[in-house]
Every structure is written in structure tokens, then in C-alpha cells.
Amino acid sequence: MLAELQALVRLQSIDNQISRLKNELSKIPAQIEAEKKYLKEYEEDLETAQAAVEAMQKRQRDTEGEIQMADEKLRESRGKQPLVKTNEEYRALTQEIESFQGKIAEFEDQVLECMESVEPLREKVAETKKGLESANNTAGMVIKKHEDHQAGIEHELEKHQRERQRTWDEISSDWQARYKMVHKNMGGLAVAAIIDRTCQGCRMDETIQRFFEIRDSKDEISSCSNCGRIIYYKEAEAVGTVVPTDETA
Ligand SMILES: [Zn+2]
């Protein structure tokens, strides 16, 4: 095979690799983002659980404040007791005192309720924290794995880019231009094998005469009569079998 044709075949193969690697690379940010989103859900759960505890604690503090106020009023009323002069005043004051006592008892029940209710809420916070920690570890590892993968691909890409440049320089400017154009117009496949008369790029057959020309040419690079791709002769791997090729992949 002509050295220049060999370079074109190699160039196509390198470009296939580069395109595969770029495609793989383009998926990684979304994979990392998915992990971060998963973590964010845990963080939000924790915030919600903590807010519930705080709300319950505030309710308890508020109720304790109410008790204090009612208690002050109760003491005030009791202080007036020695000063009453009539039975009527005495009854009214007694009623007032009982009413404050009733309120205080009610508030105290509410404080107890708050204390009981806050326990399961605290447990929920502890549980969610644990979940977040373990999710952090897992996601951290997964993200690290993606980032390592990313770095590996970038490294490999650089290698291929350098090799591509070397190969590119082996090709004359006419064929460089031709490759560039066909590569762009033919879905990234500029160079295809011809096996058993069939162009592996477009799957069309050449005439037998043309096929022999392509196969036997020693000093010329051929193009497919149908799709215009640069073609090179490749032997079928087994007699009578059309070999499926991955050149188009
Ligand atoms: Zn073709």
C-alpha cells in the first residue's frame, strides 16, 4: 500500500479514537453533577430535619415564657388576697387565681408535649446526618473515580492528538484537504475499506473492473465512485464471507 494511503488509513483510525474519547469525555460532567445532586438531596433532608427540631424547641421556649408570665400574674393576684374586704372581691380574686393556675397547668402540659415530640425529631436529625456522611463518602469516591477517568481520557487524547499531527504531516496538502472535506461531509468517515467490491463506507459495490483497478493500483489513491470516500483494498477475512466492519462505528 502507498505510504500516503497508509497514513490516511491511520489518520482515520486516530480520528475514530479521538471522536470516541471526546464523546466519552463529554458525558463525565453530567455524571459528576448527578452525584452532587444526590448529595444535595441529603443535605436538604438534613436541613428540613434540623428546622423541625428548632421549631419544636422554639415552641417550648415560647410556652415556657407564657408560664413565666402567668406565674407572675398569679403571684400578683395572690399578693392582693390579704387586701380584699368583701366576699364578692374574694370570690373574684379566687376565680382569677384558679384561672391562672389552669392556664399554667395547660402550658406545662404543652411543654411536656414539646419535650416528648422533640426526641424523635432529634433522632431523625442523627439518622439523616449518618445518611449524609455515608452518601458523602460514596459520592466522594464515585466523583474521584470520574475525575480520574477524565484525567486518563485527557491524557490519552493528548497522545492521540500528537500522533495525529505526526500522521497529518506525512500527507500531502491535496489529500489533507480532500480528507478534511470528506470527513466533514461523510459523518466523520473519510477513509473506508473496500471488501469484496463493497465500499464499507456506503455499502455500494464497485464494478469488477474498477475493483481490480483499486486493488491493483500501486501508485494511486482511489475514491469510491459512489460516496467519494478514500478507499483502500482489504482482503475479506474468510472466503465467501462479507466481514462486518467496525470502520463505520
Ligand atoms: Zn462508498
Side-chain angles (χ1 to χ4, degrees), residues 199 201-203 224 226-229:
C199 164
C202 66
R203 300 278 158 187
C224 172
N226 179 59
C227 68
R229 285 188 175 94

Side-chain angles (χ1 to χ4, degrees), residues 1-2 5 211-222:
M1 198 192 284
L2 274 175
L5 182 55
F211 172 65
F212 287 151
E213 274 172 27
I214 295 163
R215 192 191 63 183
D216 301 332
S217 168
K218 299 273 180 283
D219 53 4
E220 214 176 283
I221 296 174
S222 309

